[in-house]
Amino acid sequence: MTELPNVDAERRANWLALYERMLLIRRAEERVAKVAQAGGMPGGVHLYIGQEASGVGVCSVLEDSDFITSTHRGHGHFLAKGGDLKAMFAELWGKRTGICKGMGGSMHVADVSKGILGANGIVGGGIAIAAGAALGIKTGKEDKVSVCLFGDGAANQGVLMESLNMSAVWKLPVIWVLENNGLSEFTITDKVTAGEQTDRARAVGMPAVTVDGNDVLAVQKAMQEAIERARAGEGPSFIETKTYRIRGHLEAEDAFLGGYSYRKQEEIDVWKAPDKDPILRFASKLLSEGGASQADLDEIDERVIKLVDEAEQFAEESEDADPDLIHEITFDGQRP
Amino acid sequence: MTELPNVDAERRANWLALYERMLLIRRAEERVAKVAQAGGMPGGVHLYIGQEASGVGVCSVLEDSDFITSTHRGHGHFLAKGGDLKAMFAELWGKRTGICKGMGGSMHVADVSKGILGANGIVGGGIAIAAGAALGIKTGKEDKVSVCLFGDGAANQGVLMESLNMSAVWKLPVIWVLENNGLSEFTITDKVTAGEQTDRARAVGMPAVTVDGNDVLAVQKAMQEAIERARAGEGPSFIETKTYRIRGHLEAEDAFLGGYSYRKQEEIDVWKAPDKDPILRFASKLLSEGGASQADLDEIDERVIKLVDEAEQFAEESEDADPDLIHEITFDGQRP
Amino acid sequence: MAKQRYIQAINQVFLDEMERDKNIILFGEDVELAIFGDTREVYKTFGPERVYNTPICENSLTGMAVGAAAAGRRVILHLMFGNFVYTGMDAIAHQMAKLRMMTGGQMNLPITVICGYGGGRSLAGQHSDTPFPVLMNIGGVNVVTPATPADAKGLLTTAIRGNNPTFFMEASGRGGDSGEVPEGEYLVPFGKAAVHKEGKDVTICAIGTMVRPALRVAKQLEDEGISAEVIDPRTLVPLDEDGIAASVRKTGRLVVVDESKDRCSAASHIAAVMADKCFDKLKAPIKRVTVPNVSMPYAGVAEMAIFPTPEKIYAAVKSITGELAESNA
Amino acid sequence: MAKQRYIQAINQVFLDEMERDKNIILFGEDVELAIFGDTREVYKTFGPERVYNTPICENSLTGMAVGAAAAGRRVILHLMFGNFVYTGMDAIAHQMAKLRMMTGGQMNLPITVICGYGGGRSLAGQHSDTPFPVLMNIGGVNVVTPATPADAKGLLTTAIRGNNPTFFMEASGRGGDSGEVPEGEYLVPFGKAAVHKEGKDVTICAIGTMVRPALRVAKQLEDEGISAEVIDPRTLVPLDEDGIAASVRKTGRLVVVDESKDRCSAASHIAAVMADKCFDKLKAPIKRVTVPNVSMPYAGVAEMAIFPTPEKIYAAVKSITGELAESNA
Ligand SMILES: Cc1ncc(C[n+]2csc(CCOP(=O)(O)OP(=O)(O)O)c2C)c(N)n1
Ligand SMILES: Cc1ncc(C[n+]2csc(CCOP(=O)(O)OP(=O)(O)O)c2C)c(N)n1
Ligand SMILES: [Mg+2]
Ligand SMILES: [Mg+2]
């Protein structure tokens, strides 16, 4: 490298990439929502809409070889970490071309080749897995990190304390990312949580920060610092990203609520407004400070929507999952 | 009450009672140790010797109607809370006169009529039970408290964080007593623990103090404050009592260790010395400040040893446990 | 009698029993807004001192149920999905199931744990299990699973009023089924199987969710000249061994239908008991229709391929009654 | 061949395999000083980067095993007592057993979980369980339980080198038994039962800890003119159904002896499979000798009253071979 890099161009590229990734998640999930609402999507579908800046900021600084563990709300994490949209759609559509061959579905999207150790239907299920992956990395003396994405509801599961403790004791290369959207299903998490959840990390001597989870750059920055610590062998970090879930807990929410509600429409509107929504907000910033034009953004949107169209078509046209496979993949080389 | 009470006489009585209770635990367990070492005690026997000030200080301010949950090292808690020595010995001896009819043994001594909800062979097993008992008290609007006695090893179980959290959220009348003897079986707990365990309580906004667990008065005082909070509806408290286990993790320890060791004899000697041992230390204090004479203490010792002798004889002479009972007591009014 | 949905019947029992006995408390995740609908209005009616909307921490919840019961309360714990039985397993296996026995019978543990179970709705591996086997095996807890709204009412009332820990396994998480439910006080005793349809050629012992498909198959068989008796244990612990055996002795043939995974399933156990107790009357191998020992797949086609469908029940019956259809024809 | 104690054989496999494959890591509570002796010298030999003495937190330990395996390591988790399977059940049932299938087969999970099980030593309710049923039922994990030091060596080696999660259930927590163990590399395949003694009148299918008492009983029966075959499945998942069936077809009679609690026990399942597969050859009811569905009591007399003793095995065999002794006499 003989010349200094053009920092502005690099920044612009980074910002546009972040924007595109967030928009991809948004448009993909809007499509999923549409299909789900029309009754075309089996099982439980939990959307990430409104939280895109968190997952994208986190994964923007990870390599394919780094690991993440995710949640029941995992589409955004999957796409942020580089998972293939077509393969994800095919999975949600229950097709054999799905990333999990149709065996996992929305709550279990995983791409191990991309370090995505799986969305998880058990609240808190990814926590110990992430700690274990970090233990594996440490033992293998590999230059990787493991990132655990989990919700504010999950943060009340005891495995968190257990795994925080072990990660601190052994200085494991793991980053704990609490995506605090304020809600656990239909429960306001604050009502069932005492104290600040970041203090649970501090109690084991771990650095913990809270960032605006709807500000993709703030999340990215916090992650960069945490990763440096991890790669330097200084151990785990804890990041809380404050954000909000704009859609229901799951797409069939209304059927479950039966007329009751747990939040006001005004609250949702606040978070959907241009100054809060992570994508609208970042679009403004791109226009005002990022050197992007509206045409740039429109072009991205078109590209993204095309990808979504293609993915939907791919999923639609793929063959159904293959039942025989169940018995082949339960074990390696052994029938169940 | 027309006259002021004679504070000194009251204090002397309190001190002597504390002393006698500690000595009862010590002498009882010395007897158990002797029988166990001679091979006359089945199962795993975990002794409390060296930690008496903690359990006695804690239970000295409790009523029979208050609840405690205990651990695998539960003889001391049982006796401190007013459990019957004869019934405990008979239990350890596996007799039908045992407090649990011979069905529980050393790891499960319980006397529900005295609020002793049971020793527990699962490390951390008493934690959620104590929280639940406090929930029960709150619902019943009863003037009771629930006390959870647990070890430093148990404090790494995730149920602790879960139950601390709930007790803080609902301001439950529960007192968390961490008996920190520094050891978890053959592991130095500090080596597997990050941070101060009291900070885990502080993380949910709970007041936490650390006291000298070999100073029965210090423990008593901390408990008094915690109980006042609990009875006033101000919620849970956390007390760490720093102490030391003088005997092995279990009486058969050497067989398990096979020549290895996890601590130095010198360390044990330090804690057995008159300035550290909770009973010797308190004896000195009684003589110098408590208005007791050596003759008083000797008389207590004689009385206690007589109780132990009688309990041993009672246990020896009792009939073996009744196997038929197993099927009757598994359920209420139903065969298993 | 009035028609009620399964979930409605359950909901009504909660309301009635909590009104009747002020000592009852209820807690669990999202019970305030009632994720399954079965706890609807309970929080509103009985307030935050008897109903606790909890954080997500199944390990403590099961232990807390034990503590609250030991402290004298009558406890209802809503555990949402049957899978969370595994998440809260420690205190279930070690405290709830054992504490009475380990203390020499010193305490009653009047605890009702309620959760939905089973597959067939593309909820995939972690939300489709039927944890009968572990609950039946640990010893010390009752396990009941009503197939109809009436039995839901009767068994739940019995569970709540009883003094022993009982897992009330909802056979219909969606609450869609409806049926006649007796009005007023109605208790169904534990340990008494229900004969849904009498028959003389083969006994179909169907558990919980499997009763409906079994009845459908029995009807079809009837048309083919095979008379199937459909018996529903209703409670797995205690199990009406005598009732099932009486049916098997009469028909000489047994098919057990169970949504558990096959190995060590409730079906296996019932088959084993009958292979011991009714051997002399058995005319054919005992068949099990269960779920294979795999994680439930997501895709509908894959799920149905391993689900105990009417087709599979039919095939199992036919495999041991083949000659009958001919001779009865 | 050299004589080794059971625990020694296990210990040696750990040392050998960890030497052979640097990718193996081992962790668990108190593994440094080796509470059961089976991990002796492992920490000293392979150091703190491959051996982790953990805090007490079984819920995370089982999940960590999954994560470390997913990250490419070969994992040995020491879980101490079989009861702690219940404590760590969440990640066992939901992650370890399901993750491969749920991800469409994307990952191997080479995990060996080791723990002792069973009663008979006055360890009371919380330290005496035999959790075969839940492990067999969840689907997705192997379950093996060697009865001899040689099988311990052979099955543990196979487990560690395999790519699937396997529960290695120590039949002897105290490590007292000793026996001949083949030197050098020795693997025992999964799914292949061992016939410890041939016979023609009755099959005693004995699992793990129950093999020794079964053999004692078989010897005594021999003297009485009853020829018992003693077969040991060795691995419960996969189960050698064909091997057991072959024996049952030959003898026509089956007694299954298992330290599980009776309901949904391994014994129940084996009985059920045989009541299906071997019905035409069966001459007598299938008997189970198991533990009743209660918490294991502490007092020796009480424990022995419900333990599957040789006396109970003998009585079970006699109950279905009564006429034989006379006719053979
Ligand atoms: C062990 C377990 N308990 C309960 C549930 C049911 N459940 C699914 S999502 C959820 C709320 C999770 O809240 P949070 O962790 O904040 O994630 P969010 O939905 O807000 O993304 C609950 C209780 C579950 N899936 N797993
Ligand atoms: C769930 C569980 N895990 C492991 C054990 C084995 N075990 C018994 S005591 C003990 C150490 C407990 O340490 P601590 O809580 O500090 O109590 P102490 O023995 O020091 O009194 C362990 C690991 C157990 N009984 N239960
Ligand atoms: Mg949330
Ligand atoms: Mg300790």
Side-chain angles (χ1 to χ4, degrees):
Chain A
M1 243 193 293
T2 49
E3 280 188 313
L4 276 178
N6 180 338
V7 175
D8 278 351
E10 210 176 73
R11 194 185 74 171
R12 182 171 180 275
N14 172 31
W15 284 21
L16 284 173
L18 292 172
Y19 180 77
E20 179 158 349
R21 195 57 63 101
M22 290 199 288
L23 200 62
L24 177 71
I25 297 172
R26 176 70 58 96
R27 295 288 178 246
E29 288 209 320
E30 284 170 348
R31 187 68 51 90
V32 171
K34 207 174 116 194
V35 175
Q37 296 278 342
M41 183 82 49
V45 178
H46 310 81
L47 299 185
Y48 196 61
I49 287 176
Q51 309 186 198
E52 295 91 343
S54 179
V56 169
V58 165
C59 295
S60 66
V61 294
L62 299 178
E63 311 289 330
D64 280 358
S65 55
D66 295 322
F67 297 113
I68 65 163
T69 65
S70 169
T71 70
H72 55 287
R73 200 173 302 290
H75 308 156
H77 304 149
F78 180 90
L79 294 173
K81 185 70 166 58
D84 182 62
L85 178 64
K86 280 186 178 167
M88 185 181 97
F89 268 24
E91 186 60 31
L92 269 60
W93 266 247
K95 302 302 177 77
R96 69 181 62 188
T97 52
I99 186 70
C100 302
K101 305 196 160 72
M103 299 303 170
S106 169
M107 277 194 283
H108 302 293
V109 288
D111 184 347
V112 176
S113 74
K114 292 273 163 56
I116 305 164
L117 298 183
N120 215 307
I122 295 300
V123 170
I127 291 172
I129 296 178
L135 192 80
I137 292 167
K138 189 183 150 124
T139 312
K141 297 189 172 44
E142 293 166 329
D143 184 32
K144 300 178 184 177
V145 301
S146 160
V147 179
C148 179
L149 294 144
F150 61 104
D152 44 310
N156 283 327
Q157 290 278 30
V159 281
L160 179 64
M161 187 196 82
E162 298 177 350
S163 289
L164 286 178
N165 179 51
M166 286 188 284
S167 71
V169 167
W170 296 319
K171 289 191 187 296
L172 300 181
V174 56
I175 298 156
W176 303 101
V177 181
L178 162 55
E179 299 192 298
N180 190 345
N181 63 12
L183 297 165
S184 311
E185 286 188 354
F186 310 149
T187 295
I188 313 302
T189 310
D190 273 353
K191 285 200 195 172
V192 295
T193 305
E196 290 299 319
Q197 288 169 326
T198 42
D199 282 340
R200 297 177 187 182
R202 294 192 187 102
V204 295
M206 194 184 298
V209 294
T210 298
V211 300
D212 179 345
N214 279 17
D215 177 351
V216 68
L217 296 176
V219 176
Q220 187 180 56
K221 183 154 168 291
M223 270 298 290
Q224 258 150 352
E225 288 164 15
I227 284 203
E228 264 168 45
R229 268 180 61 77
R231 298 214 202 270
E234 289 164 25
S237 309
F238 192 102
I239 300 171
E240 177 186 32
T241 66
K242 291 249 188 202
T243 181
Y244 191 74
R245 143 162 86 66
I246 287 177
R247 296 194 65 88
H249 167 63
L250 78 175
E251 284 308 288
E253 176 170 294
D254 288 345
F256 285 90
L257 281 165
Y260 294 84
S261 70
Y262 56 91
R263 57 178 178 180
K264 297 213 156 55
Q265 183 58 42
E266 295 88 79
E267 182 179 303
I268 303 173
D269 290 342
V270 166
W271 287 89
K272 281 170 88 170
D275 63 326
K276 279 277 205 182
D277 178 290
I279 295 176
L280 298 179
R281 222 172 116 172
F282 197 54
S284 299
K285 197 177 173 83
L286 264 165
L287 295 174
S288 62
E289 304 170 38
S293 65
Q294 187 58 46
D296 291 336
L297 303 190
D298 290 346
E299 190 200 303
I300 290 176
D301 206 353
E302 267 170 47
R303 188 158 64 233
V304 160
I305 287 185
K306 186 150 171 284
L307 288 173
V308 171
D309 287 339
E310 285 167 8
E312 184 176 5
Q313 192 182 351
F314 173 77
E316 289 284 354
E317 292 174 356
S318 290
E319 248 186 289
D320 271 344
D322 172 9
D324 290 342
L325 219 59
I326 301 167
H327 307 278
E328 277 163 46
I329 62 180
T330 291
F331 287 121
D332 177 49
Q334 180 188 322
R335 306 279 297 182
Chain B
M1 244 191 291
T2 50
E3 279 187 315
L4 275 178
N6 180 337
V7 175
D8 279 351
E10 210 177 73
R11 193 184 73 171
R12 182 170 180 275
N14 172 31
W15 284 23
L16 284 172
L18 292 172
Y19 181 77
E20 179 158 348
R21 195 57 63 101
M22 289 199 290
L23 200 62
L24 177 71
I25 297 172
R26 176 69 58 94
R27 296 287 178 249
E29 288 209 320
E30 284 170 350
R31 187 66 52 88
V32 171
K34 208 174 116 193
V35 175
Q37 297 276 341
M41 183 81 51
V45 178
H46 310 81
L47 299 185
Y48 195 60
I49 287 176
Q51 309 186 197
E52 295 91 344
S54 178
V56 169
V58 165
C59 296
S60 65
V61 295
L62 299 178
E63 310 291 328
D64 281 358
S65 55
D66 294 322
F67 297 112
I68 65 163
T69 65
S70 170
T71 70
H72 55 288
R73 201 172 300 291
H75 308 156
H77 304 150
F78 180 90
L79 295 172
K81 186 71 165 57
D84 182 61
L85 177 64
K86 281 185 178 168
M88 185 181 97
F89 268 24
E91 186 61 31
L92 270 61
W93 266 248
K95 301 303 179 74
R96 69 181 63 187
T97 53
I99 187 70
C100 302
K101 305 197 161 76
M103 299 303 170
S106 169
M107 278 194 282
H108 303 292
V109 288
D111 184 347
V112 176
S113 75
K114 291 275 163 55
I116 306 165
L117 299 183
N120 215 307
I122 294 299
V123 170
I127 291 172
I129 296 178
L135 192 79
I137 293 168
K138 189 183 152 127
T139 311
K141 297 192 171 44
E142 294 167 328
D143 184 32
K144 300 178 183 176
V145 301
S146 161
V147 179
C148 179
L149 293 144
F150 61 104
D152 44 310
N156 283 325
Q157 290 278 30
V159 280
L160 179 63
M161 186 195 84
E162 297 176 350
S163 289
L164 286 178
N165 178 51
M166 286 188 283
S167 71
V169 167
W170 296 319
K171 289 191 186 298
L172 300 182
V174 57
I175 298 155
W176 303 100
V177 180
L178 162 56
E179 298 192 298
N180 190 346
N181 63 13
L183 297 164
S184 311
E185 285 188 354
F186 310 149
T187 295
I188 314 301
T189 310
D190 273 353
K191 285 200 195 172
V192 295
T193 305
E196 290 298 320
Q197 288 169 327
T198 42
D199 283 340
R200 297 178 186 182
R202 294 191 188 104
V204 295
M206 194 184 298
V209 294
T210 298
V211 299
D212 180 345
N214 279 18
D215 177 350
V216 67
L217 296 176
V219 175
Q220 188 181 54
K221 184 156 165 290
M223 271 298 289
Q224 258 150 353
E225 289 164 14
I227 285 203
E228 264 168 46
R229 269 180 61 78
R231 297 213 202 271
E234 288 164 25
S237 309
F238 193 101
I239 300 171
E240 176 185 32
T241 66
K242 290 249 188 203
T243 181
Y244 191 74
R245 145 163 83 66
I246 288 178
R247 296 195 64 88
H249 167 62
L250 77 176
E251 284 307 288
E253 174 169 296
D254 288 345
F256 285 90
L257 279 166
Y260 294 83
S261 70
Y262 57 91
R263 57 178 178 180
K264 295 214 158 55
Q265 184 57 43
E266 295 90 77
E267 182 178 303
I268 304 173
D269 291 342
V270 166
W271 287 88
K272 282 171 88 170
D275 64 325
K276 279 277 205 182
D277 179 290
I279 296 176
L280 298 178
R281 221 172 117 171
F282 197 55
S284 298
K285 198 176 172 83
L286 264 166
L287 294 174
S288 63
E289 303 171 40
S293 66
Q294 187 58 48
D296 291 336
L297 304 190
D298 291 345
E299 192 200 300
I300 290 177
D301 206 354
E302 267 170 47
R303 189 160 62 233
V304 161
I305 287 186
K306 188 152 169 284
L307 288 173
V308 171
D309 287 338
E310 285 168 9
E312 183 176 6
Q313 192 180 352
F314 174 77
E316 288 285 355
E317 292 174 357
S318 290
E319 249 187 285
D320 272 343
D322 172 9
D324 290 343
L325 219 58
I326 302 167
H327 306 279
E328 277 164 44
I329 63 179
T330 291
F331 287 121
D332 177 49
Q334 180 187 320
R335 307 280 296 181
Chain C
M1 288 276 193
K3 240 192 161 73
Q4 264 187 327
R5 286 186 302 122
Y6 190 93
I7 286 292
Q8 268 179 338
I10 291 170
N11 181 233
Q12 194 59 51
V13 173
F14 286 152
L15 293 169
D16 290 349
E17 291 302 305
M18 289 187 73
E19 180 61 39
R20 180 179 173 275
D21 181 352
K22 304 284 181 261
N23 196 30
I24 297 173
I25 67 175
L26 181 151
F27 61 90
E29 296 160 18
D30 258 352
V31 293
E32 188 176 335
L33 280 190
I35 183 100
F36 287 171
D38 44 12
T39 59
R40 196 141 287 164
E41 297 291 328
V42 167
Y43 183 84
K44 262 202 195 153
T45 311
F46 303 106
E49 291 202 337
R50 292 179 62 199
V51 182
Y52 293 82
N53 200 46
T54 71
I56 306 168
C57 52
E58 290 80 6
N59 262 301
S60 285
L61 298 185
T62 50
M64 281 194 16
V66 174
R73 302 288 87 79
R74 196 162 280 278
V75 177
I76 300 169
L77 166 59
H78 198 291
L79 210 49
M80 210 181 296
F81 280 93
N83 273 82
F84 309 155
V85 160
Y86 296 120
T87 313
M89 182 49 67
D90 178 45
I92 296 170
H94 288 133
Q95 316 296 343
M96 204 183 286
K98 293 181 165 56
L99 207 49
R100 193 175 206 281
M101 156 67 192
M102 288 191 309
T103 59
Q106 286 184 61
M107 52 175 92
N108 285 334
L109 296 172
I111 301 169
T112 301
V113 184
I114 183 168
C115 53
Y117 69 88
R121 292 171 287 153
S122 273
L123 289 174
Q126 293 170 336
H127 288 77
S128 303
D129 279 335
T130 296
F132 298 154
V134 61
L135 293 171
M136 291 170 69
N137 177 257
I138 51 174
V141 300
N142 285 324
V143 184
V144 312
T145 176
T148 66
D151 280 350
K153 172 170 182 169
L155 291 171
L156 184 56
T157 307
T158 305
I160 292 174
R161 295 195 192 172
N163 282 338
N164 298 309
T166 299
F167 281 76
F168 181 93
M169 311 297 289
E170 287 182 355
S172 161
R174 286 288 171 82
D177 309 14
S178 61
E180 296 296 328
V181 175
E183 270 157 280
E185 182 159 286
Y186 180 62
L187 288 93
V188 170
F190 287 1
K192 197 84 206 68
V195 178
H196 286 280
K197 175 187 171 303
E198 299 209 20
K200 58 180 183 34
D201 296 330
V202 57
T203 298
I204 305 179
C205 177
I207 300 168
T209 48
M210 296 292 106
V211 170
R212 225 175 0 156
L215 282 168
R216 226 167 84 192
V217 170
K219 197 153 183 285
Q220 180 184 350
L221 289 165
E222 204 72 47
D223 298 340
E224 298 179 21
I226 296 170
S227 162
E229 176 143 315
V230 177
I231 186 166
D232 164 10
R234 298 199 288 194
T235 70
L236 295 169
V237 178
L239 181 67
D240 185 2
E241 296 189 3
D242 293 341
I244 302 168
S247 174
V248 174
R249 283 211 188 84
K250 180 174 73 175
T251 63
R253 292 181 189 83
L254 174 62
V255 175
V256 197
V257 192
D258 174 17
E259 228 193 295
S260 311
K261 294 192 181 87
D262 188 59
R263 262 192 313 258
C264 301
S265 56
S268 289
H269 187 67
I270 291 170
V273 171
M274 297 307 140
D276 178 11
K277 293 201 165 177
C278 308
F279 179 76
D280 52 327
K281 299 286 184 191
L282 276 179
K283 299 177 194 153
I286 301 177
K287 292 288 168 190
R288 306 182 307 285
V289 183
T290 50
V291 171
N293 306 296
V294 298
S295 175
M296 189 65 82
Y298 164 74
V301 281
E303 195 175 22
M304 279 309 124
I306 66 167
F307 201 72
T309 52
E311 292 69 35
K312 285 179 203 129
I313 302 170
Y314 177 83
V317 174
K318 292 294 279 190
S319 76
I320 55 170
T321 53
E323 78 289 3
L324 274 181
E326 286 153 40
S327 69
N328 289 0
Chain D
M1 288 276 194
K3 241 191 159 71
Q4 263 187 328
R5 286 186 300 120
Y6 190 93
I7 287 291
Q8 268 179 338
I10 292 170
N11 181 232
Q12 194 60 51
V13 173
F14 286 152
L15 293 168
D16 290 348
E17 292 302 305
M18 288 187 74
E19 180 61 41
R20 181 179 173 275
D21 181 352
K22 305 286 181 258
N23 196 31
I24 297 174
I25 67 174
L26 182 150
F27 61 90
E29 295 160 19
D30 258 352
V31 293
E32 187 175 337
L33 281 189
I35 183 100
F36 286 171
D38 44 12
T39 59
R40 196 140 287 163
E41 298 291 326
V42 167
Y43 183 85
K44 261 200 197 155
T45 311
F46 303 105
E49 290 201 337
R50 292 180 60 198
V51 182
Y52 294 82
N53 200 45
T54 70
I56 306 168
C57 53
E58 290 80 5
N59 260 302
S60 286
L61 298 184
T62 50
M64 281 195 15
V66 173
R73 302 288 86 80
R74 195 162 280 278
V75 177
I76 300 168
L77 166 59
H78 198 290
L79 210 49
M80 211 182 295
F81 280 93
N83 273 84
F84 308 156
V85 160
Y86 296 120
T87 313
M89 182 49 67
D90 177 45
I92 295 171
H94 288 133
Q95 317 297 343
M96 204 183 285
K98 293 180 165 54
L99 208 49
R100 193 176 205 281
M101 156 65 192
M102 287 190 311
T103 59
Q106 287 184 59
M107 51 175 93
N108 285 334
L109 295 173
I111 300 169
T112 302
V113 184
I114 183 169
C115 54
Y117 69 88
R121 292 171 289 152
S122 274
L123 290 174
Q126 293 170 335
H127 288 78
S128 303
D129 279 334
T130 296
F132 298 154
V134 61
L135 293 171
M136 292 170 69
N137 177 255
I138 51 173
V141 301
N142 285 324
V143 184
V144 312
T145 176
T148 67
D151 280 349
K153 173 171 182 169
L155 290 171
L156 184 55
T157 307
T158 305
I160 292 174
R161 295 194 193 172
N163 282 338
N164 298 309
T166 299
F167 280 76
F168 181 93
M169 311 297 290
E170 287 182 356
S172 161
R174 286 287 172 81
D177 309 16
S178 61
E180 297 297 329
V181 175
E183 270 157 281
E185 183 157 287
Y186 180 62
L187 289 92
V188 170
F190 286 2
K192 196 86 207 68
V195 177
H196 285 281
K197 176 188 169 300
E198 300 209 19
K200 59 181 183 32
D201 296 332
V202 57
T203 297
I204 305 179
C205 176
I207 300 168
T209 48
M210 295 292 106
V211 171
R212 225 175 0 156
L215 282 168
R216 225 165 88 194
V217 170
K219 197 152 184 282
Q220 178 185 351
L221 290 165
E222 204 73 47
D223 300 338
E224 298 179 22
I226 296 171
S227 163
E229 176 144 313
V230 177
I231 185 165
D232 165 10
R234 298 199 289 194
T235 69
L236 295 169
V237 179
L239 182 66
D240 185 3
E241 295 188 4
D242 293 341
I244 301 169
S247 174
V248 174
R249 284 211 187 85
K250 180 174 72 173
T251 64
R253 290 179 190 83
L254 174 63
V255 175
V256 197
V257 192
D258 174 17
E259 227 192 297
S260 311
K261 294 193 182 86
D262 187 59
R263 263 193 311 260
C264 301
S265 56
S268 289
H269 187 66
I270 292 170
V273 171
M274 297 307 140
D276 178 11
K277 293 203 165 176
C278 308
F279 179 76
D280 52 327
K281 299 287 183 193
L282 277 178
K283 300 175 194 153
I286 301 176
K287 291 288 169 190
R288 306 182 307 282
V289 184
T290 51
V291 172
N293 306 298
V294 298
S295 175
M296 189 64 84
Y298 165 74
V301 281
E303 195 175 22
M304 280 309 124
I306 66 166
F307 201 72
T309 52
E311 293 68 37
K312 285 179 204 130
I313 302 171
Y314 177 83
V317 174
K318 292 294 278 188
S319 76
I320 54 169
T321 54
E323 79 290 0
L324 273 182
E326 285 153 40
S327 69
N328 290 2

